[in-house]
Amino acid sequence: MTVRTPKLFVRSYGCQMNVYDAERMADALAPDGYASTDRAEDADLIVLNTCHIREKAAEKVYSELGRIRKMGEELGRKPLVAVAGCVAQAEGAEIMKRAPVVDLVVGPQSYQRLPELVRQARAGEKPVDTEFAVEEKFSSLATPVRPLATRGVTAFVTVQEGCDKFCSFCVVPYTRGAEASRSVAQIVAETERLAAQGVREVTLLGQNVDAYHGEGPDGRDWTLARLLLRLAEIEGLARLRYTTSHPRDFGDDLIAAHRDCDKLMPYLHLPVQSGSDRILKAMNRRHTAADYLRLIERIRHARPDLALSGDFIVGFPGERTEDFEATMRIVDEAEYASAFTFKYSPRPGTPAAERDGQVSEAAKAERLQRLQARITERQIAFQRSLVGARFDVLVERAGRHPGQMAGRSPYLSPVQIEGSTAAVGEVVSVEVTGSGPNSLFAAPAGGAREDVRMLAEATA
Ligand code: SAH
Ligand code: SF4
Ligand code: F3S
């Protein structure tokens, strides 16, 4: 008799931290025999790893739960259904009331308890665990066990979680709890393990990553900059990135790291949210537009080729036309290479949701469209400005056709390399030959091109 391996299907919504957490959940369940599948139909356990940041994101979970219920009826067997992530934290047991198909609810700080919760759910209990046990999570979820094949040459590593900033629109301080940093030793060990498995690029994750203050080997709190410099020493690792930062926490040593550390990529996601000081104040961002621009100038002074990205919210309560115009201006003043734009979404329990001066849906839609159009123009111009440039690409996978390889530029744009003999995981020098709105086209430059020619001659 063969015992069937139970299958796990995780669908993640929201930010990259959820992507990282999804891998940790799979790791936590692996000792119980769970193998991952990418087909919900095959799964014995379905985990929806949810996001609560905007209303649309939060509602997705309920439509997905409806689909899962129907799928179960059609299959004639009901998989176990778990809701994890930030909706789980925000709504807890309410989820089961609204969607009885759900067997267990687990908040983002309790994934280390997932195997036990799954056993309880199997026994017919309906466990709900939304405790903030972040220290416990960090200490027990630190060891990835699955082989590299499923991971590729880039990886995320969460270095801090939670947020103490309380921007007046945002649910994160409530769903992820207070800011907590992992120790340097844990992060170094995890990153070394990833590098040993062939990972060449690591992106450090945190809701407020530049507020990182984990305990160093000397017993003192280390800054993000110090951590980055330490990780840069790890053999095999070629590139470091980090996201997402808050302007208030951007230290001088982090600026210096952008100047001094070659492995730290010249790309920065630093949201400003609005260009209007009145709105920034109402958002509780605790900086002005001028502070932000000064900071960007200092970072660019340290790293002139820096590509800047950010987030914007339009239609925050009380936002008038002149506030929005200030946002339009800062897009050009800060010279964004790209940015994400959102319509303000009132979130239950956040201060801004209760405020007067909520902006009409029509005004939000119009502002979003104008802002988005300007950002798209900037993005296309940025991509075009790179044609003819030479830089390194980390090769992440084979392209669609023979001789094509795909990877990313230092600025995070996807690059298609034509006529490349490079292997996945190699960092190769390219010359950009063309640009599209989202990706670049390139040919091997310098040494690599010689290789191709020699190879062509040898086989002629
Ligand atoms: N910690 C990060 C971002 C967290 S959420 C930071 O501080 O920048 C990602 C983005 O979602 C935010 O930058 C913001 O632009 C957007 N966002 C957050 N809450 C929102 C809301 N209630 N409505 C619309 N957009 C929101
Ligand atoms: Fe949310 Fe503000 Fe914290 Fe970012 S800094 S997670 S926007 S509260
Ligand atoms: Fe969403 Fe939670 Fe991330 S609300 S954006 S999944 S921290």
Side-chain angles (χ1 to χ4, degrees):
M1 198 184 87
T2 53
V3 181
R4 189 170 170 277
T5 313
K7 295 243 164 60
L8 166 71
F9 173 82
V10 187
R11 171 159 289 156
S12 286
Y13 304 86
C15 63
Q16 291 148 331
M17 198 169 289
N18 268 4
V19 176
Y20 176 82
D21 281 345
E23 293 188 345
R24 296 290 81 71
M25 285 190 249
D27 289 338
L29 289 165
D32 287 0
Y34 278 93
S36 295
T37 172
D38 48 16
R39 286 166 46 93
E41 304 84 330
D42 296 343
D44 301 275
L45 171 59
I46 296 180
V47 179
L48 299 186
N49 190 17
T50 60
C51 173
H52 202 245
I53 202 82
R54 285 167 290 274
E55 192 183 353
K56 259 204 199 129
E59 281 306 311
K60 266 187 208 155
V61 58
Y62 290 103
S63 44
E64 187 63 24
L65 286 169
R67 270 197 294 276
I68 291 171
R69 189 178 51 77
K70 257 198 228 119
M71 186 191 80
E73 283 164 10
E74 280 160 20
L75 292 172
R77 95 189 152 81
K78 189 194 165 305
L80 216 57
V81 179
V83 175
C86 290
V87 177
Q89 190 63 44
E91 299 187 2
E94 279 303 304
I95 298 171
M96 286 166 171
K97 283 201 196 127
R98 197 169 150 189
V101 70
V102 175
D103 300 291
L104 89 91
V105 174
V106 56
Q109 313 304 358
S110 303
Y111 297 149
Q112 69 284 0
R113 301 191 192 141
L114 199 54
E116 178 54 26
L117 296 169
V118 168
R119 278 191 285 276
Q120 290 172 7
R122 285 229 173 284
E125 295 167 41
K126 291 220 158 193
V128 175
D129 190 337
T130 52
E131 259 181 71
F132 284 119
V134 63
E135 299 300 339
E136 186 186 320
K137 175 184 182 181
F138 285 164
S139 56
S140 55
L141 281 184
T143 319
V145 292
R146 287 181 305 154
L148 174 68
T150 56
R151 293 182 190 271
V153 295
T154 63
F156 295 130
V157 173
T158 291
V159 302
Q160 73 82 233
E161 218 177 314
C163 183
D164 296 334
K165 285 281 181 293
F166 291 93
C167 300
S168 60
F169 51 81
C170 183
V171 293
V172 170
Y174 311 95
T175 62
R176 295 272 170 176
E179 200 281 318
S181 295
R182 292 176 75 186
S183 72
V184 172
Q186 270 181 6
I187 297 163
V188 168
E190 185 169 328
T191 309
E192 277 175 345
R193 206 154 40 224
L194 289 166
Q197 288 177 5
V199 166
R200 308 292 323 273
E201 173 180 306
V202 163
T203 302
L204 306 185
L205 298 181
Q207 262 92 30
N208 196 350
V209 73
D210 54 344
Y212 176 81
H213 59 96
E215 188 187 305
D218 53 3
R220 301 231 179 116
D221 280 1
W222 281 29
T223 60
L224 180 67
R226 200 154 172 210
L227 175 68
L228 285 162
L229 295 176
R230 171 66 188 87
L231 296 177
E233 290 169 7
I234 294 176
E235 208 182 317
L237 209 62
R239 290 179 159 193
L240 287 164
R241 303 178 186 276
Y242 60 93
T243 197
T244 294
S245 307
H246 191 291
R248 286 271 306 211
D249 294 316
F250 215 93
D252 291 347
D253 61 345
L254 190 53
I255 297 178
H258 274 284
R259 183 192 58 215
D260 301 333
C261 181
D262 290 344
K263 290 187 182 178
L264 184 55
M265 290 294 104
Y267 170 89
L268 177 63
H269 185 72
L270 189 66
V272 69
Q273 313 295 356
S274 169
S276 152
D277 287 345
R278 216 171 56 82
I279 296 299
L280 286 170
K281 190 157 196 288
M283 286 176 162
N284 192 31
R285 292 289 291 184
R286 292 183 277 175
H287 63 79
T288 62
D291 294 335
Y292 181 83
L293 290 170
R294 239 184 334 259
L295 174 62
I296 297 299
E297 202 184 298
R298 289 175 55 220
I299 306 168
R300 284 217 169 96
H301 187 72
R303 185 73 209 219
D305 69 334
L306 189 96
L308 179 66
S309 148
D311 295 335
F312 290 94
I313 295 178
V314 299
F316 185 81
E319 186 186 77
R320 302 187 202 123
T321 310
E322 61 264 33
D323 298 310
F324 174 68
E325 294 305 333
T327 295
M328 289 295 288
R329 278 199 301 277
I330 207 169
V331 170
D332 289 321
E333 287 164 350
E335 300 184 41
Y336 284 93
S338 70
F340 299 97
T341 53
F342 308 103
K343 282 191 244 178
Y344 170 68
S345 171
R347 306 306 294 132
T350 60
E354 313 297 328
R355 289 200 190 143
D356 294 340
Q358 298 289 332
V359 175
S360 75
E361 190 51 36
K364 282 184 199 170
E366 199 233 273
R367 288 174 193 174
L368 185 77
Q369 209 242 326
R370 267 190 66 203
L371 180 61
Q372 188 52 62
R374 183 65 195 122
I375 288 167
T376 304
E377 278 171 18
R378 287 209 64 94
Q379 189 176 328
I380 292 171
F382 172 74
Q383 296 275 98
R384 222 171 257 155
S385 75
L386 293 173
V387 175
R390 283 182 174 209
F391 50 64
D392 286 348
V393 169
L394 170 60
V395 178
E396 293 179 15
R397 57 194 162 75
R400 231 169 278 148
H401 305 290
Q404 260 183 3
M405 298 304 285
R408 282 186 192 267
S409 75
Y411 317 107
L412 212 55
S413 2
V415 184
Q416 292 275 358
I417 316 169
E418 298 290 338
S420 173
T421 52
V424 169
E426 248 180 86
V427 176
V428 295
S429 174
V430 304
E431 184 169 329
V432 180
T433 54
S435 74
N438 297 309
S439 50
L440 296 171
F441 304 92
R449 199 180 285 156
E450 283 300 307
D451 291 348
V452 175
R453 208 176 297 138
M454 268 152 42
L455 201 78
E457 277 162 15
T459 49

